Amino acid sequence: MDRIAQLIAAMTLEEKIGQLTMASGGYAVTGPEVSADVSGDVRAGRVGALLNLWGAEAVRAIQRTAVAESRLGIPLLIGLDVLHGHRIIFPIPLGEACAFDPELWAATARAAAAEAARDGVSMVFAPMLDVARDPRWGRISEGAGEDPFVVGEFARAKVRGFQGEDLALPDAVAATAKHFCAYGAALAGRDYASADVSERTLREVYLPPFAAAIEAGCAAVMPAFMDLSGIPMTAHHALLRGWLRGERGFEGVIVSDYNAIAELLRHGVAENLCEAAALALAAGVDIDMMSDGFRNGLPLALAEGRVSMEDINAGVRRVLTLKQRLGLFDDAFRRKGGGDGREPAKAAAVSARELARAAAQRSIVVLTNDGVLPLPAGLGKIAVIGPLADARREMDGPWAMAADRDDCVTILEGLKGALPGTEIVFAEGVAIDGEEESGIAAALEICRGADVVLLCLGEAAAMSGEAASRAGLGLPGRQEALAWAAFSLGKPVVALLSSGRPLTLPWLFERASAAVATWFLGTEAGNAIADVLTGRFNPVGRLPVTWPRAVGQIPIFYAARPSGRPFDPIDPYTSKYLDCSVEPQFYFGHGLSYGRFALSNLAALQQCVGFDDVIRLSVDVVNEGSIEGEATVFCFARDVVASVVRPVLELKRFAKIALGAGERDVLDFAFPAAELSFPGLDLQPRFEPGAFEFSVGFTADPKELMTIRLLAVAGI
Ligand code: BGC
């Protein structure tokens, strides 16, 4: 018998259910702490995992209770939401996605994992892999945007970064792919609302990022809160046991979302906790996060024959296997939080901060620029106005639980540091929210004599993330009034937008000399923004989401299926709005740099490809600008005629290339022709012979793409 089998054989039912139970660490004035009740449960073997606890001392103490004082001495899993950094905060995932840089995505996850592990954390509730096409949904900020391929690459990179070479290493943590599945399709962008998605869209859009995470060896999966076409994900047998465990062979742990098992009662699929627990366990959930559904419901469910001891044992085995893979049985204190309690090495903190600055630089997207940026050297006076200019505690954005929010560099500080010779004056003008306008006059006053006005607008950190949906995507409070006042001065105005989502501000993009999406960039926000504004860093960020003009266009994404009546300005009976353009404000992939790039000579190695071939395309990229820069190039495919309607464009690959001024190079794309398969009429993967178009460009704007045709044949 192996060690895990021996343990299971020795366990009481209560101890087994304990391993399937995750409780919360609490907060004291001094920081996170475990309550006496929870300590008692750990000692009695009634709790096998904790969340919301970090810090060497606190984790070591409770881990010692588990290992030394509980009957079987099983160590605890310690889980935490580490979405974009732990103590040092990196850009929100939507921002970091703009870098289109898997190495960077992995590096920030690695740094976050190392920091979290030093704080005793062994499991992170990240990455968030929900494809999001509705910016009303506040959780769009937590993921990598609208495209399944991009989110899939993000998944691989993050899992690699968090888990490292080997989960047992002291700086590795178990990753949790969440929220499975289609949470981003919540009705009307309202968090926790129902989602209704076809099997086809599920297979094409929402499942692939999770498939990528599983392929990368992701240790855990978290089902989403909502119901998918009538079945709550926490009880979704077909997707959890069927697709995840059956089809994809996932053998890791499924951890419920917070209180989600008890919420099955509210969904109306269970009458009591016993039924709810039975439904969740039968569907494949191993760990009950915070609902006490397993603890209070499973004993009766077992007695009534609704669940079997085999199912309970299988869940316990998966949890214990994860603990074993994390090395916790060999040394529960191997993560530094449980070990010698040393302060994080200074060098590691410094390099994490440097990484935070680099990641933040690469996340910034210059949306419009009439030439005012980069700011020329030797400016006499810059007026910085707006509620986000010196908003230290907002810069981290949502989900930064262990961060010291006072540690962030504000935009104002970053600029002052970067431009010591320039007079920089500041006034807030208005608050982020609320009706007060009385500060606008003073803000205008300080703009007198300024060469340029920097208008720092946007959302508060708490306006995106969980439970932070918005029905309108304009500027909250009286910020619009401040913007119009600034425009009335007739000076160049650069708008900096801090937000967790695209904001619908067509008037601002029309009127500002430049507009820059700065999302929530984390600890080094201000320095990175100053680097971009001053031209010290030539911007590389590109949008991983289509940016709408109006809320009425939502959901909006580039990979739409073609209409039988595509928009035609001279034919009224075509697909359009009477009161708004069908075009987005900015296409997927949009983002300016301070240089200019051009593409030419798109070519394919073959004219004809079979299923087993690798498609090879090449395109020339030239830097026509006068400074070194980096271009991001997207490669899309379209199946011209197929048995089901295929999207007008589907991203197959993206690539980045750094070129000096005037330099030219060839960029190659290679991918298996098998990736042209799609769910056929029977929803099984089909590779259909016929013509395919491959388009290459800097954005998904069809007007800007270069396209060639290839023929796919059944076999060569
Ligand atoms: C969120 C999850 C998170 C969990 C634990 C839930 O409310 O939906 O994303 O991991 O809380 O904090």
Side-chain angles (χ1 to χ4, degrees), residues 35 91 109 180 193 234 236 255 335 401 442 456 536 539 544 579 596 601 650:
S35 70
F180 185 72
T234 307
H236 209 303
V255 52
R335 284 169 184 75
M401 304 182 72
C456 302
R536 200 176 134 161
D579 55 353
R596 208 175 54 247
N601 296 333
E650 268 185 292

Side-chain angles (χ1 to χ4, degrees), residues 240-422:
L240 296 177
R241 271 206 202 272
W243 187 84
L244 195 58
R245 293 219 187 279
E247 222 176 282
R248 309 310 301 191
F250 176 65
E251 288 175 350
V253 163
I254 299 182
V255 52
S256 86
D257 205 342
Y258 201 105
N259 198 41
I261 295 181
E263 287 168 24
L264 293 175
L265 275 66
R266 294 244 176 98
H267 281 289
V269 296
E271 204 165 317
N272 49 46
L273 275 187
C274 168
E275 273 184 33
L279 275 175
L281 190 81
V285 174
D286 300 314
I287 296 182
D288 172 357
M289 182 195 284
M290 292 303 292
S291 89
D292 276 345
F294 278 179
R295 190 193 294 201
N296 296 330
L298 279 185
L300 184 59
L302 184 68
E304 288 180 355
R306 292 171 190 264
V307 296
S308 66
M309 191 57 99
E310 285 69 48
D311 278 347
I312 294 177
N313 286 347
V316 174
R317 172 169 275 284
R318 281 190 287 265
V319 171
L320 296 183
T321 303
L322 178 58
K323 291 182 177 182
Q324 189 172 52
R325 288 182 64 205
L326 284 162
L328 292 168
F329 283 118
D330 298 334
D331 176 7
F333 307 108
R334 67 195 305 119
R335 284 169 184 75
K336 291 281 181 346
D340 56 17
R342 268 184 295 134
E343 277 297 296
K346 282 247 160 38
V350 170
S351 80
R353 241 189 135 114
E354 281 167 4
L355 181 62
R357 184 160 176 170
Q361 289 169 338
R362 305 184 84 77
S363 304
I364 295 169
V365 184
V366 175
L367 299 167
T368 64
N369 183 13
D370 69 2
V372 65
L373 295 179
L375 299 173
L379 284 182
K381 178 175 171 187
I382 298 179
V384 182
I385 63 173
L388 271 306
D390 201 27
R392 192 179 313 287
R393 298 182 67 80
E394 307 297 337
M395 291 293 103
D396 282 341
W399 292 115
M401 304 182 72
D404 173 1
R405 286 192 182 254
D406 288 324
D407 195 26
C408 288
V409 181
T410 70
I411 301 176
L412 185 63
E413 285 169 344
L415 278 166
K416 285 187 172 165
L419 298 168
T422 304

Side-chain angles (χ1 to χ4, degrees), residues 97-162:
C98 300
F100 282 95
D101 186 344
E103 287 314 311
L104 176 74
W105 298 339
T108 55
R110 186 87 293 279
E115 266 193 359
R118 270 196 297 269
D119 260 347
V121 172
S122 48
M123 176 183 209
V124 295
F125 306 127
M128 204 287 273
L129 303 180
D130 297 308
V131 169
R133 297 172 163 189
D134 188 335
R136 291 173 298 183
W137 190 53
R139 303 200 82 167
I140 193 173
S141 59
E142 297 175 41
E146 75 177 45
D147 184 74
F149 177 75
V150 176
V151 182
E153 293 299 290
F154 190 78
R156 286 180 218 277
K158 288 295 178 194
V159 171
R160 173 157 58 92
F162 284 131

Side-chain angles (χ1 to χ4, degrees), residues 643-666:
S643 53
V644 297
V645 182
R646 303 302 304 143
V648 285
L649 291 174
E650 268 185 292
L651 188 65
K652 290 298 167 193
R653 289 294 182 270
F654 57 82
K656 296 177 81 73
I657 183 165
L659 293 171
E663 212 183 323
R664 158 186 300 270
D665 208 344
V666 180

Side-chain angles (χ1 to χ4, degrees), residues 589-613:
H590 173 76
L592 305 175
S593 76
Y594 296 147
R596 208 175 54 247
F597 294 92
L599 299 174
S600 58
N601 296 333
L602 174 61
L605 198 73
Q606 325 93 312
Q607 299 308 313
C608 217
V609 291
F611 181 83
D612 293 323
D613 290 332

